[in-house]
């Protein structure tokens, strides 16, 4: 895990008068070591390898807490299931492989600019956006 994220967790917990529980630390670390945007069940499978006593309910609860602290991001892609990634990375968008469930991150300045332009034309400032492209492997002909 980036020391940054761990430090942020400590600061935020202190601010809110909460303890940095070992569970929160472990779950955040495993998520930040997971580049694949796992869902809660998958994350739980990884967590119990390190800490067998952490339940799936704890994972769900912790994800809600960490999300409310702004330390992680929740994504709901087309299948409707929440998947997570650690926060703090630069803004990016996602390709979702509908055949394999693989998530590929990308960043495209042209798309960012285009969105600004569209919001602008409608008289708005952008406060955030989500952009997903659903893909499958090209068929060989
Ligand atoms: Zn991502």
């Amino acid at each position: 895990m980036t020391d940054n994220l761990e430090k942020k967790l400590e600061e935020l917990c202190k601010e809110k008068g909460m303890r940095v529980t070992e569970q929160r630390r472990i779950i955040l670390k495993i998520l930040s070591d997971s580049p694949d945007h796992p869902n809660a069940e998958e994350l739980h499978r990884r967590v119990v390898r390190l800490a067998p006593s952490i339940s799936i309910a704890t994972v769900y609860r912790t994800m809600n807490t960490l999300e409310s602290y702004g330390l992680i991001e929740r994504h709901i892609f087309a299948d409707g299931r929440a998947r997570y990634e650690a926060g703090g990375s630069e803004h990016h968008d996602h390709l979702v492989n509908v055949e394999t469930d693989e998530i590929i991150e990308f960043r495209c300045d042209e798309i960012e600019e285009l969105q600004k332009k569209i919001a602008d034309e409608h008289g708005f400032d952008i406060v955030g956006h989500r952009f997903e492209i659903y893909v499958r492997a090209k068929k060989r002909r």
Side-chain angles (χ1 to χ4, degrees), residues 6-18:
E6 189 164 4
K7 227 172 258 158
K8 235 171 151 185
L9 174 67
E10 275 164 21
E11 279 166 19
L12 281 160
C13 286
K14 204 188 269 175
E15 236 171 67
K16 291 169 202 277
M18 299 178 79

Side-chain angles (χ1 to χ4, degrees), residues 16-51:
K16 291 169 202 277
M18 299 178 79
R19 278 185 331 119
V20 188
T21 63
E22 203 47 33
Q23 295 178 335
R24 282 186 194 147
R25 198 191 297 274
I26 287 170
I27 291 169
L28 185 61
K29 174 176 171 33
I30 289 173
L31 184 63
S32 69
D33 290 344
S34 302
D36 59 341
H37 306 60
N39 61 34
E41 289 82 18
E42 181 53 42
L43 188 63
H44 181 243
R45 268 193 285 281
R46 295 172 198 179
V47 165
V48 291
R49 279 184 220 140
L50 259 177

Side-chain angles (χ1 to χ4, degrees), residues 37 75 85 89 92-94 103 105:
H37 306 60
H75 299 289
E85 73 177 302
S89 60
H92 57 263
D93 294 309
H94 297 103
I103 306 289
E105 299 184 341

Side-chain angles (χ1 to χ4, degrees), residues 57-110:
T58 298
V59 171
Y60 277 117
R61 209 171 339 105
T62 303
M63 299 323 275
N64 285 333
T65 306
L66 294 177
E67 191 189 6
S68 72
Y69 288 6
L71 292 171
I72 64 165
E73 275 181 52
R74 177 199 307 258
H75 299 289
I76 314 264
F77 298 119
D79 67 358
R81 302 179 71 191
R83 299 173 64 150
Y84 301 93
E85 73 177 302
S89 60
E90 241 189 284
H91 171 74
H92 57 263
D93 294 309
H94 297 103
L95 290 166
V96 182
N97 186 330
V98 297
E99 290 173 334
T100 63
D101 259 4
E102 188 192 2
I103 306 289
I104 301 116
E105 299 184 341
F106 73 93
R107 187 187 157 86
C108 173
D109 289 336
E110 279 169 88

